[in-house]
Amino acid sequence: MGHTGLEKIVALQRNPANIRNLCILAHVDHGDQEYLLNLIDSPGHVDFSSEVSTAVRLCDGAIVVVDAVEGVCPQTQVVLRQAWLENIKPVLVINKIDRLIMELKLTSQEAYTHLQKILEQVNAVTGTLFTSKVLEERAEKEKEEEKEGEKTSSDQVYDWSAGLEEADDSHLYFSPDQGNVVFASAIDGWGFSVQQFAHIYSQRMGIKAEVLLRTLWGDFYLNAKAKRIMKGAQAKGKKPLFVQLVLDNIWSLYDAVLRKDKEKVDKVVKSLGVKLMARDSRHSDAKVLLTAICSQWLPVSQAVLSMVCEKLPSPLDITAERVEKLMSVGMRRFDSLPEQTQDLKEAFLQCSSGRDAPVIVFVSKMFAVDSKALPQNRPRPLTQEDIAQRRELARQRHANKMAADQTAEENTKDLGHKGSMPQEELTKLESLTLKDSKPDEPEEQRETFVAFARVYSGVVKKGQRVFVLGPKYDPAQGLRMLSENCSASDCVPEVPHLSCCSMESIYLLMGRELEELEDMPAGNVVGIGGLEECVLKSATLSSSPACPPFTSLNFEAMPIVRVAIEPKHPSEMPKLVRGMRLLNQADPCAEVLIQETGEHVLVTAGEVHLQRCLDDLRDRFAKIEICASKPIIPFRETVVRPPKVDMVNEEMGKQQKVAIIHQVKEEALQGRSSDTLHVDPSGLVTVTTPNRLGTIGVRAIPLPQEVTCVLESNSELIRTLEQINMSLREEKNLHVSLATQEAITGLKAQLEKGLQGRKWRNAVERIWAFGPRRYGPNILLNSVEGYERPSVWQCLSRNDNVGEARAHPTALRDFDNSIISGFQLATLSGPMCEEPLMGVCFSIERWDIHPPQNQDSLEEDHIFHQSLAEGKQDGDIEATSQPEGTASALSQARFRPEAATVDSCGQVSGQLIAAMKEACRHAFQAQPQRLMAAMYTCEIMTTAEVLGRVYGVLGKREGRVLHEEMKEGTDMFIIKAILPVAESFGFADEIRKRTSGLASPQLVFSHWEIISSDPYWVPTTEEEYLHFGEKADSANQALKYMNAVRRRKGLYVEEKIVEHAEKQRTLSKNK
């Protein structure tokens, strides 16, 4: 495949039917047609799965590469799920088949069985995704039938089928006979599909290619006597056709070349019609000869690119389902969008580049490019005219220099006769000479951002102005505020989440190189310059304000590892700030935060991602020496039920449990004022505000683990629910998609299932709020007698109009929001080490507001204070001190008599927030407290020889092995374990060193897990004293983590620096 000219590529861009969007630009001749392939490569490490998400959004298809030895690993499942969520079609390449021959020493029959199992594993992942989709669609269909009253009559038999029998899933799975699987060894340069061998043997054996295509993969064998292909190879002990006609030939070629059987190699080369160079035949490394033969016989590029062109869709084949999914943001359904917005669906499907077609572009990421690498700044090759012109200029400069030297020599001689030059003239001449000879200072290399985008409709032109649609942009609101034929070039009024920008440059992405173009038609991947001020990470661009913003990217990796960064030299802080801003824009997964303490914090997905970000910051963006702290590991705080066994696993008696609970409560009350705080034996904490106007009673209850998991996994849905409730409180009608309603109903059902028992009776309906940040895994419960506030599930009790949530009259008490705000603050930072809470339910059992005085006295006070203010202006009356906010509160008393009793007495709202926060913290401390650690799922593939060393490293780092299994037909073991994130740094390097590179782990964030040990535990029983000693100074993992976090945050840490002071002894004398 030779180099393709720019003109040829531009011509191919005009035909979207022959475009395939996957990875690095290439021009492929496939039969009589020419195809344009946009290849987007993505890293395989789990820490960089966000890069996969940005690539998948721009593509119509994907090549999934699986290792023939390791099979399906966690990253393979992530990639398949991402492709499924974006509705793109994948094809499969099973690579490194040479390892089955060279390393595992499998026979061709064993290799065939092994490959079958890999295909089954991959298809099992796809089947799971398909099944869940079918079940969701069936549930939606049943719901629609119920709403339309089309239920079956009661005398009919209930249909328990899930709809999977009718659903056609034959096109989803990977099967060699369908042409969507290639077997390859990229290092040896060969790869093939079943079609290639079907075509070869149809000519040699006289069997139709269609018959061979159906039978080459599967339980078929060749009956030589009957000259027929028959079924049942496994039952009859025959070699499958794939082994006999394909794998045996490859195995025999490897055997001949590696054994250096020259006679057999020559025979194979002659039969295959391969031409070898003399240097390849004489090379001492047999792999060189092997690569030379295989790359000509079965070139991997031909196999993969043929599969891509035949099996992957073009931009014209985009499905209506994918378009609607892209255009339906959050809780909105497609048919609730404005009519003009729905009309844009046709523009997507047609992928038109016509003059009237609206421009629709999605930017998936911003990538940094050195300014010198841009085409306009790149030095262009010199023509003959340029060379001749430069030669003439050089001659002129040389002649001028010679003339100047001669003149200077003559002047020197004259000065020798006439005397010396005046001092002023000498100084002036010297300064001019220094100024002329001073080299130009190199300009600071600046990084320029280029938007990585896909054109879905219209033609993108250089200098064109378009709308930038923010993620919260509402096309209905935009169409109301803008004129009918408004364009981005006009003077646009201010519309929320809508801005305009100019596409200054259009680039064709040629690997590392960029080529500047004047325009780019629909269906292509493009680079756009000049958007760095308008787009942070991703955005939707359109020439029509009716276009909605696309749905956000699906990121599988969760940023969890934090480090604080500072420059080595404080004077370089501005460079660090600028560098972190550039890094934040360039990396789709990295987050940059500035803490309240002023620290600059970088949040990444894992250790490898963190190292890459730090290197980029040093070498590309900030270009300064930086100092990074040790990784800041997040923890969570929670409460648990009183333990049933003590620290030595002895069962605790009832009196001992009560004694421990009382001890915890006494510790919680130490140093606290008893007149505003009271803790009763049952764990109810009552707090009174400092102005004695409000009293709150709160109890902390641990949530069941299943409920905590449900809340954590549905955080986005809870955020959507909060947005709906906010709209209802503002008395707005909101169109909610049926899928969102179903999801909310399912969430409610899951919570009802998890919260069973007497103490959780009707708890789901009494949920007041979720926290922290209104969507976290903690619950605020309304147990106040006589207070019936609107339910958080009120959007489900809507009118008959499908999908339309209507506002109901609300009956919120005054300062209801203050209670919620206090709860949010309390759950955001707990009392143990100021980390967020998780899995805690705060039940409000008492909430009283005490009015200080009656309304008449308030009005009199208002008149008095008003006259006092007037007198103060005249200077007749001296100013007296009064609480801040009193005047403004009293001035509103006439307009809000029901709130005047409270607002008039100062900052009641603020005191109520503080009281609620303190009540929650004390209620939390009145229960057994525990830390929760973030956990990685660790999958390690290793050999039996180093299995013990792997277990040793895991045990040293608090890891726990879940299970291990041996890969069938190999000596490889697969170990699945969980490992605390806090202990994971340096884990991969250590395990590679201890096993001499024979084991390599893959770490993926999994869940939060409670650390069983109590950080506040002290020995109480005789057995505990005997086991742990009086000081109990054995390692308490929870206490170690808690003190480390408190020390980092500057909080008080209770520890003894010197326990046993001894007299210093010198070497000379013992005194």
Side-chain angles (χ1 to χ4, degrees):
M1 184 170 61
H3 179 72
T4 304
L6 182 61
E7 296 79 9
K8 187 67 175 176
I9 294 172
V10 171
L12 288 171
Q13 289 172 348
R14 305 290 174 187
N15 184 12
N18 285 1
I19 294 175
R20 300 292 183 271
N21 289 318
L22 355 142
C23 274
I24 311 169
L25 208 68
H27 166 227
V28 185
D29 292 327
H30 180 67
D32 298 329
Q33 289 184 315
E34 293 179 319
Y35 285 82
L36 182 67
L37 304 187
N38 294 322
L39 269 172
I40 306 171
D41 193 14
S42 58
H45 197 280
V46 289
D47 280 7
F48 302 104
S49 59
S50 59
E51 299 288 349
V52 178
S53 300
T54 59
V56 162
R57 172 59 62 87
L58 305 185
C59 295
D60 302 302
I63 300 175
V64 179
V65 184
V66 175
D67 191 312
V69 174
E70 296 181 2
V72 176
C73 60
Q75 182 65 3
T76 312
Q77 299 177 16
V78 169
V79 167
L80 287 170
R81 184 163 58 248
Q82 286 174 314
W84 179 270
L85 292 173
E86 290 290 342
N87 290 81
I88 69 171
K89 186 175 181 180
V91 291
L92 182 65
V93 174
I94 300 179
N95 192 26
K96 301 185 182 179
I97 292 183
D98 60 289
R99 292 182 65 190
L100 303 180
I101 308 171
M102 309 282 290
E103 295 179 17
L104 301 186
K105 310 291 185 186
L106 300 183
T107 64
S108 55
Q109 178 69 46
E110 292 169 343
Y112 172 68
T113 307
H114 183 76
L115 293 172
Q116 276 186 316
K117 289 180 178 176
I118 289 177
L119 273 174
E120 288 173 5
Q121 291 171 1
V122 177
N123 286 331
V125 177
T126 307
T128 304
L129 296 168
F130 173 73
T131 302
S132 63
K133 180 187 174 185
V134 171
L135 294 175
E136 287 174 7
E137 289 177 350
R138 177 169 176 89
E140 288 182 9
K141 186 178 178 183
E142 288 178 352
K143 196 73 177 177
E144 287 176 2
E145 289 177 354
E146 288 178 11
K147 297 200 176 297
E148 293 172 4
E150 296 177 2
K151 284 178 139 186
T152 55
S153 58
S154 58
D155 57 340
Q156 289 184 343
V157 178
Y158 178 71
D159 180 18
W160 62 82
S161 67
L164 292 170
E165 295 82 3
E166 298 85 6
D168 180 21
D169 59 349
S170 58
H171 63 286
L172 294 175
Y173 298 114
F174 299 106
S175 180
D177 57 355
Q178 290 188 7
N180 57 4
V181 179
V182 162
F183 304 94
S185 170
I187 195 170
D188 290 339
W190 62 265
F192 66 89
S193 62
V194 168
Q195 282 90 334
Q196 289 176 262
F197 277 95
H199 180 69
I200 293 169
Y201 282 110
S202 66
Q203 296 175 347
R204 292 188 181 181
M205 301 171 63
I207 303 174
K208 290 182 179 180
E210 294 80 8
V211 175
L212 279 171
L213 185 60
R214 291 197 307 268
T215 57
L216 259 178
W217 181 265
D219 193 25
F220 298 95
Y221 70 98
L222 182 63
N223 190 326
K225 292 182 180 179
K227 294 184 179 180
R228 292 180 61 189
I229 295 173
M230 305 184 73
K231 198 171 185 179
Q234 187 175 0
K236 296 176 183 177
K238 303 287 186 180
K239 266 189 181 181
L241 211 58
F242 188 76
V243 175
Q244 186 177 354
L245 300 183
V246 180
L247 295 185
D248 278 351
N249 290 323
I250 296 173
W251 258 246
S252 62
L253 174 62
Y254 267 77
D255 181 62
V257 173
L258 295 176
R259 285 194 300 108
K260 298 187 178 181
D261 188 342
K262 190 174 186 306
E263 184 179 341
K264 190 172 182 181
V265 170
D266 291 341
K267 185 178 178 182
V268 170
V269 168
K270 187 177 180 182
S271 65
L272 295 176
V274 174
K275 294 181 180 179
L276 293 177
M277 298 179 71
R279 64 182 182 188
D280 293 335
S281 302
R282 291 195 302 266
H283 205 284
S284 59
D285 187 0
K287 293 281 282 183
V288 174
L289 177 61
L290 188 65
T291 303
I293 297 172
C294 293
S295 59
Q296 293 183 60
W297 176 36
L298 299 170
V300 64
S301 58
Q302 182 183 345
V304 174
L305 296 176
S306 297
M307 174 176 67
V308 163
C309 295
E310 292 174 3
K311 295 300 175 183
L312 293 186
S314 72
L316 292 174
D317 299 325
I318 188 170
T319 61
E321 180 187 5
R322 186 182 181 194
V323 172
E324 292 184 7
K325 193 172 180 180
L326 286 174
M327 298 176 72
S328 302
V329 183
M331 54 191 173
R332 303 201 64 145
R333 64 177 191 270
F334 179 74
D335 55 5
S336 69
L337 295 171
E339 188 176 347
Q340 291 173 263
T341 303
Q342 295 185 42
D343 293 341
L344 293 176
K345 178 180 174 182
E346 288 302 317
F348 274 94
L349 297 175
Q350 293 172 5
C351 193
S352 173
S353 300
R355 181 178 297 179
D356 299 330
V359 173
I360 302 174
V361 179
F362 181 75
V363 177
S364 70
K365 70 173 287 189
M366 303 288 288
F367 64 93
V369 178
D370 189 352
S371 299
K372 293 181 179 178
L374 295 177
Q376 55 266 35
N377 300 334
R378 194 188 309 149
R380 59 185 180 84
L382 298 176
T383 61
Q384 290 297 328
E385 292 80 5
D386 293 336
I387 294 172
Q389 188 178 3
R390 290 194 176 195
R391 189 184 298 119
E392 185 63 30
L393 287 171
R395 284 175 184 164
Q396 288 179 5
R397 279 198 301 268
H398 181 68
N400 294 337
K401 185 180 179 183
M402 293 294 290
D405 291 345
Q406 188 175 358
T407 306
E409 188 177 349
E410 291 175 357
N411 291 338
T412 306
K413 289 179 181 178
D414 294 341
L415 286 171
H417 294 294
K418 296 179 181 178
S420 61
M421 183 183 288
Q423 185 66 29
E424 293 179 2
E425 293 187 17
L426 278 171
T427 308
K428 186 177 180 182
L429 181 62
E430 187 178 352
S431 64
L432 285 171
T433 309
L434 286 171
K435 186 176 180 181
D436 292 340
S437 63
K438 187 178 180 180
D440 294 330
E441 293 183 1
E443 294 183 3
E444 185 183 355
Q445 293 182 354
R446 294 183 62 84
E447 295 282 344
T448 301
F449 279 95
V450 176
F452 189 38
R454 159 87 179 267
V455 186
Y456 285 90
S457 173
V459 179
V460 173
K461 297 179 181 178
K462 184 178 178 180
Q464 183 179 9
R465 285 186 65 80
V466 290
F467 294 110
V468 181
L469 314 175
K472 295 183 180 179
Y473 171 68
D474 184 4
Q477 184 182 14
L479 290 172
R480 282 197 306 270
M481 298 179 68
L482 298 174
S483 58
E484 187 174 349
N485 296 320
C486 180
S487 68
S489 304
D490 303 332
C491 183
V492 180
E494 190 171 340
V495 179
H497 311 292
L498 179 73
S499 60
C500 299
C501 72
S502 177
M503 296 184 283
E504 296 175 3
S505 306
I506 305 296
Y507 299 114
L508 176 65
L509 306 176
M510 301 279 289
R512 288 178 176 268
E513 302 294 327
L514 298 174
E515 295 291 342
E516 193 169 14
L517 300 176
E518 291 299 317
D519 57 26
M520 181 69 74
N524 287 283
V525 175
V526 64
I528 304 175
L531 301 182
E532 57 263 29
E533 299 298 329
C534 307
V535 178
L536 179 61
K537 291 178 184 275
S538 63
T540 307
L541 312 179
S542 180
S543 60
S544 169
C547 181
F550 283 17
T551 53
S552 57
L553 296 168
N554 299 301
F555 289 147
E556 295 288 332
M558 174 181 164
I560 194 169
V561 179
R562 303 177 173 219
V563 290
I565 298 175
E566 62 182 13
K568 191 172 183 180
H569 306 291
S571 61
E572 294 178 329
M573 178 59 80
K575 291 184 178 180
L576 176 66
V577 172
R578 178 180 174 274
M580 293 190 74
R581 180 177 60 82
L582 295 177
L583 176 65
N584 183 45
Q585 192 168 15
D587 195 305
C589 190
E591 295 178 6
V592 173
L593 308 172
I594 298 179
Q595 303 282 64
E596 295 176 358
T597 57
E599 284 182 312
H600 290 76
V601 176
L602 177 64
V603 192
T604 59
E607 189 178 4
V608 178
H609 186 211
L610 171 63
Q611 192 58 48
R612 209 283 308 269
C613 289
L614 292 176
D615 291 343
D616 282 350
L617 202 56
R618 287 190 189 97
D619 303 334
R620 294 184 60 191
F621 300 126
K623 295 182 180 176
I624 60 172
E625 294 184 44
I626 59 174
C627 299
S629 70
K630 290 183 178 179
I632 302 170
I633 310 301
F635 289 93
R636 297 289 183 266
E637 301 180 22
T638 190
V639 294
V640 295
R641 299 182 67 181
K644 295 181 180 179
V645 295
D646 58 15
M647 291 293 287
V648 289
N649 291 329
E650 294 285 339
E651 188 173 354
M652 296 170 63
K654 187 175 180 181
Q655 292 181 349
Q656 188 179 355
K657 289 182 188 176
V658 173
I660 290 175
I661 293 171
H662 279 294
Q663 181 185 356
V664 169
K665 291 171 183 173
E666 286 172 9
E667 289 174 356
L669 285 172
Q670 283 179 1
R672 303 293 178 183
S673 175
S674 59
D675 57 345
T676 59
L677 173 65
H678 174 71
V679 181
D680 69 0
S682 65
L684 178 66
V685 175
T686 306
V687 175
T688 305
T689 58
N691 58 9
R692 302 294 193 277
L693 296 184
T695 305
I696 302 169
V698 180
R699 187 191 307 275
I701 310 168
L703 285 173
Q705 187 178 357
E706 302 80 22
V707 174
T708 307
C709 294
V710 168
L711 293 175
E712 187 186 12
S713 59
N714 290 278
S715 59
E716 287 299 321
L717 183 61
I718 296 172
R719 183 185 293 184
T720 302
L721 178 64
E722 177 61 27
Q723 291 174 354
I724 296 171
N725 289 333
M726 193 177 296
S727 299
L728 293 178
R729 284 195 293 271
E730 295 172 359
E731 299 185 354
K732 293 180 181 177
N733 293 335
L734 191 68
H735 290 278
V736 183
S737 68
L738 187 62
T740 304
Q741 293 176 27
E742 290 294 330
I744 293 173
T745 305
L747 172 64
K748 185 180 179 183
Q750 285 179 294
L751 292 178
E752 287 173 344
K753 182 181 178 182
L755 297 175
Q756 298 286 341
R758 184 174 56 84
K759 68 176 180 179
W760 297 112
R761 187 177 301 162
N762 202 26
V764 177
E765 290 293 340
R766 291 187 287 117
I767 292 177
W768 197 327
F770 300 94
R773 298 186 180 90
R774 296 183 180 269
Y775 59 88
N778 302 284
I779 289 176
L780 181 64
L781 211 60
N782 177 20
S783 301
V784 181
E785 291 186 11
Y787 181 31
E788 298 290 335
R789 72 183 306 277
S791 171
V792 295
W793 315 103
Q794 57 183 318
C795 61
L796 298 178
S797 57
R798 62 189 187 281
N799 291 355
D800 295 332
N801 297 335
V802 177
E804 185 176 342
R806 292 188 176 274
H808 294 280
T810 58
L812 293 176
R813 282 174 63 174
D814 287 329
F815 308 113
D816 180 278
N817 205 42
S818 298
I819 298 295
I820 296 176
S821 299
F823 164 71
Q824 301 296 340
L825 290 173
T827 52
L828 190 60
S829 58
M832 296 176 73
C833 51
E834 301 295 330
E835 290 289 294
L837 304 190
M838 187 174 188
V840 184
C841 172
F842 290 105
S843 176
I844 299 185
E845 300 185 3
R846 181 184 174 189
W847 180 26
D848 299 328
I849 298 292
H850 311 291
Q853 49 189 330
N854 58 28
Q855 184 67 25
D856 296 336
S857 61
L858 278 175
E859 291 183 359
E860 290 175 3
D861 286 349
H862 172 58
I863 295 169
F864 169 73
H865 284 299
Q866 194 171 16
S867 63
L868 186 67
E870 292 172 357
K872 182 182 176 183
Q873 291 175 358
D874 298 336
D876 297 334
I877 304 175
E878 293 184 0
T880 56
S881 62
Q882 55 180 327
E884 185 182 350
T886 303
S888 61
L890 290 170
S891 64
Q892 296 175 4
R894 295 184 180 181
F895 305 104
R896 285 184 62 219
E898 71 279 359
T901 56
V902 182
D903 283 346
S904 61
C905 296
Q907 302 268 340
V908 175
S909 176
Q911 291 193 10
L912 207 55
I913 292 173
M916 179 63 190
K917 178 184 175 183
E918 287 301 311
C920 290
R921 289 174 75 93
H922 288 298
F924 183 91
Q925 291 174 313
Q927 303 293 331
Q929 307 165 61
R930 295 291 185 273
L931 269 185
M932 296 184 78
M935 306 297 287
Y936 275 139
T937 296
C938 175
E939 191 164 295
I940 307 170
M941 182 174 287
T942 183
T943 57
E945 293 83 18
V946 295
L947 203 58
R949 298 178 191 174
V950 172
Y951 274 77
V953 176
L954 281 170
K956 174 186 171 184
R957 292 178 174 263
E958 307 291 333
R960 189 168 74 252
V961 176
L962 300 178
H963 64 82
E964 70 170 44
E965 60 179 351
M966 190 174 185
K967 265 188 127 29
E968 209 169 317
T970 70
D971 62 344
M972 304 292 288
F973 281 85
I974 298 177
I975 302 169
K976 194 161 188 180
I978 56 174
L979 181 76
V981 174
E983 303 289 342
S984 68
F985 296 96
F987 172 71
D989 289 338
E990 184 180 359
I991 209 165
R992 274 194 288 267
K993 288 175 184 174
R994 292 288 302 275
T995 61
S996 304
L998 294 176
S1000 183
Q1002 278 201 324
L1003 301 173
V1004 183
F1005 176 74
S1006 174
H1007 63 285
W1008 295 90
E1009 187 173 286
I1010 296 175
I1011 301 173
S1012 58
S1013 56
D1014 182 359
Y1016 299 107
W1017 174 81
V1018 290
T1020 53
T1021 64
E1022 185 178 349
E1023 291 82 1
E1024 289 175 346
Y1025 275 113
L1026 288 172
H1027 191 277
F1028 295 100
E1030 290 185 7
K1031 294 187 293 182
D1033 52 2
S1034 61
N1036 184 333
Q1037 200 68 20
L1039 180 62
K1040 185 183 85 171
Y1041 290 149
M1042 187 180 78
N1043 284 344
V1045 175
R1046 293 185 68 89
R1047 197 175 292 111
R1048 175 174 56 81
K1049 293 185 176 182
L1051 303 174
Y1052 172 71
V1053 178
E1054 187 176 352
E1055 58 183 353
K1056 293 181 180 179
I1057 299 175
V1058 178
E1059 289 201 5
H1060 302 287
E1062 294 181 357
K1063 186 177 179 181
Q1064 182 180 358
R1065 296 180 182 274
T1066 63
L1067 294 175
S1068 58
K1069 296 179 181 179
N1070 286 333
K1071 293 183 179 180

